[in-house]
Amino acid sequence: MKKFINSIDTLLDESLRGFSKAHADIIRFNPQPHFIQRIKPAQSGKVALISGGGSGHEPLHTGFVGSGMLDAACPGQIFTSPTPDQMLAAAQAVENGGGVLFIVKNYAGDVMNFEIAAEMLECPKATVLVSDDVSLPKTHSTGRRGVAGTLIVEKIVGAAAENGASLEACKALGNRVNQATASMGVALNSCTVPALGKPMFDLGDNEIEMGVGIHGEHGRETIDLISASEIVDRLATSINDELKPQEGQPALLHVNGLGATPLMELHLIYELASWFWEQRGVSICRSLIGNYTTSLDMAGCSITLSLLDEELMRLWDAPVHTAALRWGC
Amino acid sequence: MKKFINSIDTLLDESLRGFSKAHADIIRFNPQPHFIQRIKPAQSGKVALISGGGSGHEPLHTGFVGSGMLDAACPGQIFTSPTPDQMLAAAQAVENGGGVLFIVKNYAGDVMNFEIAAEMLECPKATVLVSDDVSLPKTHSTGRRGVAGTLIVEKIVGAAAENGASLEACKALGNRVNQATASMGVALNSCTVPALGKPMFDLGDNEIEMGVGIHGEHGRETIDLISASEIVDRLATSINDELKPQEGQPALLHVNGLGATPLMELHLIYELASWFWEQRGVSICRSLIGNYTTSLDMAGCSITLSLLDEELMRLWDAPVHTAALRWGC
């Protein structure tokens, strides 16, 4: 295993210290317990938005802390849920009279730990579960996973919270965005978790993994390498079958790199996916391309489509100032 | 070779079409000959800034076209210089009464082709050669290569041009930033050029390449894997020996991913590098971390230090609105 690390034990801390030093104008790192919080104080009464999850998906979630998006993020060890004491401390640090909304990717460990934290927290609180990964059936025993669509929920609800929406309204909005959002990923190669020291699963020289998650777990199926157009057709068809967009439907298309895929290829995937939906009368009026919800050094990408209306567009466009997303301010 | 492509022949075009569709509010793609130009018209008399080079380094340079930075970028085939007709057409499209400044990474093919274009161009013109890679000696036969420091030259000169600086002033400023900027890179693994279909050079399971360039060429030396602290110490020492910053010197620290390195590791490298210079009394007052000057899917990173003064800081902070760098507007 070749990585830029000193030791597995210090990797996360050294990385978070570097991140917080580089973005000291936006965020602050609380080392004990670990959380990242926004520096610019929110206006009194604003709903505090908190997310978190295992590390290794950067910039998700720490890179989305800042005005117009998250108030705090709780990073766990790599691909490992953060603990309730992190979420509780983060909530107590950023709660500002408007209650706390936890935005949680649907993974058993994250769900359980955020639930425990919510129970311990003595203020109005609510949770939005993100479950945008259509590679698993809706009837899957633990529900669908939350993947790259999570940042869309965080951005849109973040803008609403900044505009003074209530806890109840933020929760309803988060659920609405989650319902309107579907993602699916593909891996060309697995990722290497430092503590394991070898790829999480093996793929042959001519094999790819369809419907892959973001934790190096196996996907829906292993298939032989096919062309980019065929890959996009499969991913986009699964998404389209789920969302069933109408003719003229405005949508946000997000092509996300899983860590080791060149931007050049992500742009190509975007070209093919936008063409897929344009042919079906969908109006791709917003877009985001890049490494946002990564899986360490996995080669691969995911496609996310999020159906928009005028309100969602306005909230997507609203100013945001975080390490990884920044516009309008 | 596993990549998201349809065919090697169409990769660049499909990718540029996707890029331009996703960023249609900022740039426009001219398909014949290939160049990307800024949409928002520059004020009359503004110096037009044009860069370019082989593709495979995205977001460099196309992602830096927009207000406050480049007026146009000319992408060649992967790791291959663009041709003079591209630069000439781009220059004719964006020249606006202030003359044309070419910002060129110091590679023989790029230098020659930009020179030919400059000779053919019938308006005031000048060239800044970027040569920030200290892994080669200053006395190297073709001079030092231009690598990740290029974007710093483009950003700072871009801001000056936007503010109305003359062609002569922009050229002098570009040369000054180049002189004050030094970079060095390291690769954990080489990259795979699609047309070749295999890694450009082989490294053993325990080997890394110090002083690597951005075209998959071999670096200064192949060594056994060492810790992140030791890697940073070697890279930063070479840079520091070149720039010899004084106590109290303000500087921009740029940690650049070469394509396949997780952001988590880049943040760790930033932490170690900022500590290296803080110990030497250098004030790291600006920073940039991420994949900006990539080498397809190469695992590795580079460190760039750029010495600043008040004017350079102000120009770095000035508004920029491009696909890959965006702040203040």
Side-chain angles (χ1 to χ4, degrees):
Chain A
M1 176 186 70
K2 290 192 283 188
K3 290 191 178 283
F4 295 120
I5 59 174
N6 285 322
S7 84
I8 290 167
D9 292 340
T10 60
L11 164 58
L12 180 59
D13 254 60
E14 289 178 301
S15 177
L16 286 170
R17 280 206 301 273
F19 168 74
S20 57
K21 208 182 279 180
H23 301 288
D25 56 327
I26 304 175
I27 54 90
R28 195 172 72 79
F29 171 41
N30 187 79
Q32 205 52 262
H34 281 28
F35 64 87
I36 296 285
Q37 77 176 96
R38 140 183 191 177
I39 277 185
K40 193 180 164 198
Q43 71 275 28
S44 177
K46 179 185 131 21
V47 174
L49 261 54
I50 300 178
S51 192
S55 293
H57 306 301
E58 290 71 24
L60 182 89
H61 299 271
T62 50
F64 303 138
V65 176
S67 53
M69 215 160 163
L70 299 177
D71 292 271
C74 306
Q77 291 295 321
I78 290 177
F79 294 174
T80 303
S81 173
T83 50
D85 63 313
Q86 292 176 253
M87 299 142 189
L88 192 62
Q92 287 162 345
V94 301
E95 206 281 326
N96 198 16
V100 170
L101 184 69
F102 292 122
I103 300 178
V104 184
K105 300 194 297 302
N106 187 35
Y107 289 95
D110 289 353
V111 173
M112 181 187 74
N113 285 299
F114 271 102
E115 260 177 21
I116 295 171
E119 274 175 30
M120 294 161 75
L121 185 63
E122 293 178 341
C123 74
K125 62 243 170 175
T127 298
V128 169
L129 281 188
V130 184
S131 56
D132 55 314
D133 185 355
V134 298
S135 64
L136 296 179
K138 238 182 185 158
T139 53
H140 189 267
S141 58
T142 54
R144 284 172 165 168
R145 304 174 289 208
V147 289
T150 311
L151 86 82
I152 300 171
V153 176
E154 291 175 356
K155 170 66 186 83
I156 288 179
V157 178
E162 207 76 45
N163 291 345
S166 69
L167 181 58
E168 199 173 72
C170 286
K171 179 184 162 78
L173 179 66
N175 287 333
R176 182 156 81 88
V177 176
N178 182 52
Q179 288 297 318
T181 300
S183 302
M184 191 164 156
V186 54
L188 303 183
N189 280 311
S190 183
C191 56
T192 298
V193 174
L196 187 65
K198 62 188 179 74
M200 297 280 282
F201 59 84
D202 288 318
L203 284 174
D205 284 348
N206 198 37
E207 287 178 339
I208 63 175
E209 189 76 9
M210 297 296 289
V212 79
I214 57 173
H215 295 94
E217 66 272 47
H218 265 291
R220 184 192 278 190
E221 56 175 339
T222 305
I223 62 169
D224 283 346
L225 180 63
I226 50 181
S227 72
S229 288
E230 290 168 306
I231 289 172
V232 167
D233 197 64
R234 287 195 186 207
L235 299 179
T237 297
S238 292
I239 293 166
N240 202 64
D241 287 351
E242 176 72 24
L243 296 178
K244 298 187 176 57
Q246 304 288 306
E247 177 94 24
Q249 169 69 50
L252 160 65
L253 174 58
H254 173 31
V255 174
N256 173 59
L258 291 174
T261 293
L263 196 50
M264 196 175 188
E265 295 175 41
L266 299 181
H267 287 148
L268 182 149
I269 294 288
Y270 179 88
E271 165 67 8
L272 301 172
S274 62
W275 175 240
F276 175 96
W277 274 296
E278 281 160 13
Q279 281 181 298
R280 285 158 180 79
V282 174
S283 163
I284 302 295
C285 59
R286 297 293 183 277
S287 59
L288 186 70
I289 306 172
N291 295 316
Y292 290 98
T293 302
T294 61
S295 185
L296 292 170
D297 55 355
M298 184 179 281
C301 73
S302 62
I303 296 176
T304 299
L305 192 78
S306 197
L307 308 185
L308 300 175
D309 56 24
E310 280 194 18
E311 181 195 10
L312 300 183
M313 254 183 269
R314 187 173 43 74
L315 292 168
W316 176 260
D317 291 342
V320 61
H321 189 183
T322 68
L325 281 189
R326 186 168 168 176
W327 57 70
C329 56
Chain B
M1 175 187 69
K2 291 193 283 189
K3 291 193 178 282
F4 295 120
I5 58 174
N6 285 321
S7 85
I8 290 166
D9 292 341
T10 60
L11 165 58
L12 180 60
D13 253 58
E14 289 179 301
S15 177
L16 287 170
R17 280 206 301 274
F19 169 74
S20 57
K21 207 182 278 180
H23 301 287
D25 56 326
I26 304 175
I27 54 89
R28 197 170 70 80
F29 171 41
N30 188 78
Q32 204 53 261
H34 281 29
F35 64 87
I36 296 284
Q37 77 176 97
R38 141 184 191 177
I39 277 184
K40 195 181 164 198
Q43 69 276 27
S44 177
K46 178 185 132 19
V47 174
L49 262 54
I50 300 177
S51 191
S55 293
H57 306 300
E58 290 70 24
L60 183 89
H61 299 272
T62 49
F64 303 138
V65 176
S67 52
M69 216 159 162
L70 298 177
D71 292 272
C74 307
Q77 291 295 319
I78 289 178
F79 295 175
T80 303
S81 174
T83 50
D85 63 313
Q86 292 176 252
M87 299 140 188
L88 191 62
Q92 287 162 345
V94 300
E95 207 280 326
N96 198 16
V100 170
L101 184 69
F102 292 122
I103 300 179
V104 183
K105 301 193 298 301
N106 187 36
Y107 290 94
D110 289 354
V111 173
M112 180 187 76
N113 285 299
F114 271 102
E115 260 177 22
I116 295 171
E119 273 174 31
M120 294 162 74
L121 185 63
E122 292 179 344
C123 73
K125 61 241 170 178
T127 298
V128 170
L129 281 188
V130 185
S131 56
D132 55 314
D133 185 355
V134 298
S135 64
L136 296 178
K138 238 181 185 159
T139 52
H140 188 267
S141 59
T142 54
R144 284 171 164 169
R145 303 175 289 208
V147 288
T150 310
L151 86 82
I152 301 171
V153 175
E154 291 175 356
K155 169 67 186 81
I156 288 179
V157 178
E162 207 76 41
N163 292 344
S166 70
L167 180 59
E168 198 173 73
C170 286
K171 178 184 162 78
L173 179 66
N175 287 332
R176 183 155 81 88
V177 175
N178 182 50
Q179 287 298 319
T181 300
S183 302
M184 191 164 157
V186 54
L188 303 183
N189 280 310
S190 182
C191 57
T192 298
V193 173
L196 187 64
K198 62 187 179 81
M200 296 281 281
F201 58 85
D202 288 318
L203 284 173
D205 284 348
N206 198 37
E207 287 178 340
I208 63 175
E209 190 77 10
M210 297 296 290
V212 78
I214 56 172
H215 295 94
E217 65 271 47
H218 265 291
R220 183 192 279 190
E221 55 175 340
T222 305
I223 64 169
D224 283 345
L225 180 63
I226 51 180
S227 72
S229 289
E230 291 167 308
I231 289 172
V232 167
D233 196 65
R234 288 196 185 205
L235 298 179
T237 297
S238 292
I239 292 166
N240 202 63
D241 288 351
E242 177 72 24
L243 295 178
K244 298 186 176 58
Q246 303 288 306
E247 176 94 24
Q249 169 70 51
L252 160 65
L253 174 57
H254 172 30
V255 174
N256 173 58
L258 291 174
T261 293
L263 196 49
M264 197 176 187
E265 294 175 40
L266 299 181
H267 287 148
L268 183 148
I269 295 287
Y270 178 88
E271 165 67 9
L272 301 171
S274 61
W275 175 241
F276 175 97
W277 274 295
E278 281 161 14
Q279 280 181 301
R280 284 158 180 81
V282 174
S283 164
I284 303 296
C285 60
R286 296 295 183 277
S287 59
L288 187 69
I289 306 172
N291 295 315
Y292 290 99
T293 303
T294 61
S295 184
L296 292 171
D297 55 355
M298 183 178 282
C301 73
S302 62
I303 295 175
T304 299
L305 193 78
S306 196
L307 308 186
L308 300 176
D309 57 25
E310 280 194 19
E311 181 195 11
L312 300 183
M313 253 184 272
R314 188 173 44 73
L315 293 168
W316 176 259
D317 292 341
V320 60
H321 191 183
T322 67
L325 280 189
R326 185 167 167 176
W327 57 69
C329 56

